[in-house]
Amino acid sequence: MRNRAAEGVLEQAKAAATAKMIGKLLRKHPLIAAELVASGAARGLAVGIDEVRHLVFGGDATKERGSSDEGE
């Protein structure tokens, strides 16, 4: 967070407030914090897999969004 805070006083205040909020969440609600970390990691993994699939196969590699040969 300190790297982002090098941009000015407002950014430093934002970084300090974020750090305080995260610290309070971890102390008062550790299970909720763990659930947030797990869900964020799962979402990050899903996005990463989609990005790799896009790089390897190019374009939309899945038919989840539908294709032109499907009937309406």
Side-chain angles (χ1 to χ4, degrees):
M1 281 189 226
R2 287 185 183 243
N3 290 341
R4 285 184 48 207
E7 297 174 8
V9 175
L10 182 59
E11 291 298 319
Q12 288 177 353
K14 285 183 193 178
T18 301
K20 186 174 182 176
M21 178 187 67
I22 291 170
K24 188 176 277 192
L25 178 67
L26 286 171
R27 279 191 310 276
K28 291 190 175 196
H29 307 288
L31 294 177
I32 293 173
E35 187 176 341
L36 288 172
V37 168
S39 66
R43 178 66 183 142
L45 180 64
V47 169
I49 290 171
D50 285 343
E51 288 294 320
V52 169
R53 187 178 297 143
H54 177 74
L55 288 172
V56 171
F57 296 110
D60 286 336
T62 64
K63 287 191 170 188
E64 294 174 358
R65 296 184 186 131
S67 64
S68 60
D69 62 354
E70 292 178 353
E72 292 184 18

